Amino acid sequence: MSFPTHRPRRLRRSEALRDLVRETRLTASGLIYPMFVCPGIKVRQEVSSMPGIHQQSADQIVEEAREVESLGIPGIILFGLPESKDPRGASSLSAQGVVQRATEAIRKAKLKLLVITDVCLCEYTDHGHCGVIENGEVANDATLSILAQQALSHARAGADVVAPSDMMDGRVGAIREVLDEHKFENIAILSYAAKYSSGFYGPFREAAQSTPQFGDRRSYQMDPANAREALKEVELDLEEGADMVLVKPAMPYLDVIRRVRDAFDVPVGAYNVSGEYAMVKAAAQKGWLDEKRVVLEILMGIQRAGADIILTYHAKDAARWLKP
Ligand code: PBG
């Protein structure tokens, strides 16, 4: 059974036919928009390597969050740029912290938008690592209670979902336990389960001022060469109580997204990270790529690979382009 009986081009003849047989339907309903919150009022500073993305104070976050909601995007994820940094990331736990205040402000504004908070230490430590340092190393177990307290403070401020991105072993369990102890058993955990040690985080580190001051993150983030290990990471996080899992970055790890999707029956997300965004923006500015076309193709590809949820800085543009 082959040509000329079979002619796949028959189903590509018109937009109506192509639409009828389309396998993947990209919509704004799976997108999450990342935002960077800083201290102050009326602050809105563009990140130079991420055109269109800003560091902004809580009042400005509320305004943009309103726009995000009106575009049909279901949620945002908040990253904090604190007033002060220290070796243990103390400013990450404060009820007056930047993320906590922005979360409260969004809640007060009565938006329906989901507020997801990134749980990690790197933005809050003076050394820029995702955990505390003991004997020159990033100490796993000593970091867990700080992460759990940070997640608790986000829940108290009104976060719907907490998203640990630090890659310490056991942090999902530690966070679940503390949330449950304080009657936040309904706050969900989106775990960055398979987070790779990636060069694509470069622009984020400018945006979040979180570049490690010594060494790198290879002792806790995953080796880009490993895919089977991602399944183990996901399995452990699910056992510890993660409700949803993330693969990060997205484009170089589509195989990992697919394998996680096939192996586990939980919502799977992918983080289309800062460097992936910056590449597209830079090429589009030079006129080398058609931005709309490649962004929708990239997001479609990530969804086709198996992601139900996509965290992306393109979310607002994509939502506009996808409007029926
Ligand atoms: C760590 C964290 C990072 C990102 C999200 N959370 C960066 C890192 O590990 O250095 C990167 C996101 C992006 O590049 O868009 N808290």
Side-chain angles (χ1 to χ4, degrees):
M1 286 283 268
S2 60
F3 180 82
T5 310
H6 284 286
R7 291 177 180 270
R9 288 186 54 188
R10 276 183 207 127
L11 299 183
R12 294 179 203 140
R13 281 182 64 220
S14 66
E15 185 47 29
L17 274 167
R18 290 190 292 271
D19 194 30
L20 182 72
V21 300
R22 190 157 292 137
E23 297 175 34
T24 308
R25 295 180 193 275
L26 188 63
T27 66
S29 64
L31 303 180
I32 299 290
Y33 185 59
M35 301 180 81
F36 299 97
V37 54
C38 66
I41 48 167
K42 296 207 177 337
V43 183
R44 189 168 154 86
Q45 168 85 29
E46 192 169 49
V47 179
S48 64
S49 53
M50 301 177 72
I53 301 297
H54 300 78
Q55 299 168 335
Q56 46 194 341
S57 48
D59 56 300
Q60 302 294 301
I61 292 273
V62 172
E63 290 319 305
E64 197 178 4
R66 222 183 282 286
E67 183 194 2
V68 170
E69 181 174 299
S70 73
L71 287 167
I73 296 165
I76 58 171
I77 180 163
L78 288 177
F79 295 91
L81 292 95
E83 223 140 339
S84 65
K85 304 193 187 212
D86 66 36
R88 301 180 61 78
S91 58
S92 72
L93 313 178
S94 162
Q96 307 303 316
V98 278
V99 166
Q100 291 84 347
R101 285 188 150 175
T103 303
E104 273 170 14
I106 293 166
R107 289 281 91 107
K108 252 189 216 133
K110 300 261 177 279
L111 299 180
K112 287 196 256 346
L113 201 70
L114 287 170
V115 178
I116 305 175
T117 54
D118 186 80
V119 173
C120 193
L121 292 195
C122 65
E123 299 120 79
Y124 306 93
T125 51
D126 50 12
H127 47 73
H129 277 290
C130 303
V132 298
I133 308 293
E134 283 175 1
N135 305 320
E137 285 192 30
V138 176
N140 193 85
D141 299 15
T143 301
L144 300 181
S145 65
I146 306 179
L147 293 166
Q149 291 303 319
Q150 185 185 138
L152 175 62
S153 73
H154 292 171
R156 284 184 169 137
D160 300 289
V161 178
V162 294
S165 67
D166 51 281
M167 288 300 277
M168 298 301 116
D169 295 328
R171 89 274 209 216
V172 172
I175 290 170
R176 187 72 273 157
E177 193 180 320
V178 168
L179 289 178
D180 288 1
E181 265 170 25
H182 291 84
K183 303 259 181 293
F184 287 110
E185 65 278 350
N186 291 325
I187 301 301
I189 300 177
L190 166 63
S191 135
Y192 290 72
K195 177 175 178 182
Y196 287 88
S197 178
S198 169
F200 287 97
Y201 305 149
F204 174 92
R205 291 180 187 173
E206 181 204 335
Q209 297 165 355
S210 64
T211 308
Q213 299 303 302
F214 66 89
D216 54 42
R217 303 207 202 290
R218 280 183 283 191
S219 76
Y220 43 106
Q221 298 181 347
M222 285 180 60
D223 183 338
N226 295 355
R228 291 190 301 262
E229 190 187 357
L231 300 180
K232 179 176 178 178
E233 282 282 7
V234 169
E235 188 175 6
L236 290 170
D237 282 8
L238 292 176
E239 274 171 21
E240 289 176 32
D243 300 283
M244 306 176 270
V245 293
L246 273 182
V247 174
K248 176 186 176 183
M251 283 155 65
Y253 300 91
L254 296 177
D255 59 320
V256 178
I257 296 170
R258 169 50 54 194
R259 287 172 77 157
V260 170
R261 169 70 295 151
D262 287 345
F264 302 96
D265 281 325
V266 295
V268 174
Y271 198 146
N272 177 222
V273 302
S274 59
E276 300 176 76
Y277 176 81
M279 287 194 303
V280 170
K281 283 293 197 186
Q285 280 181 356
K286 282 190 171 285
W288 292 349
L289 285 175
D290 173 341
E291 182 175 356
K292 174 177 172 180
R293 202 168 163 191
V294 298
V295 166
L296 294 178
E297 185 174 340
I298 286 167
L299 298 178
M300 179 78 76
I302 297 169
Q303 186 177 323
R304 195 191 62 241
D308 308 297
I309 302 163
I310 305 176
L311 282 59
T312 179
Y313 302 95
H314 298 292
K316 288 191 341 182
D317 288 332
R320 277 189 208 104
W321 293 327
L322 290 167
K323 270 243 152 84

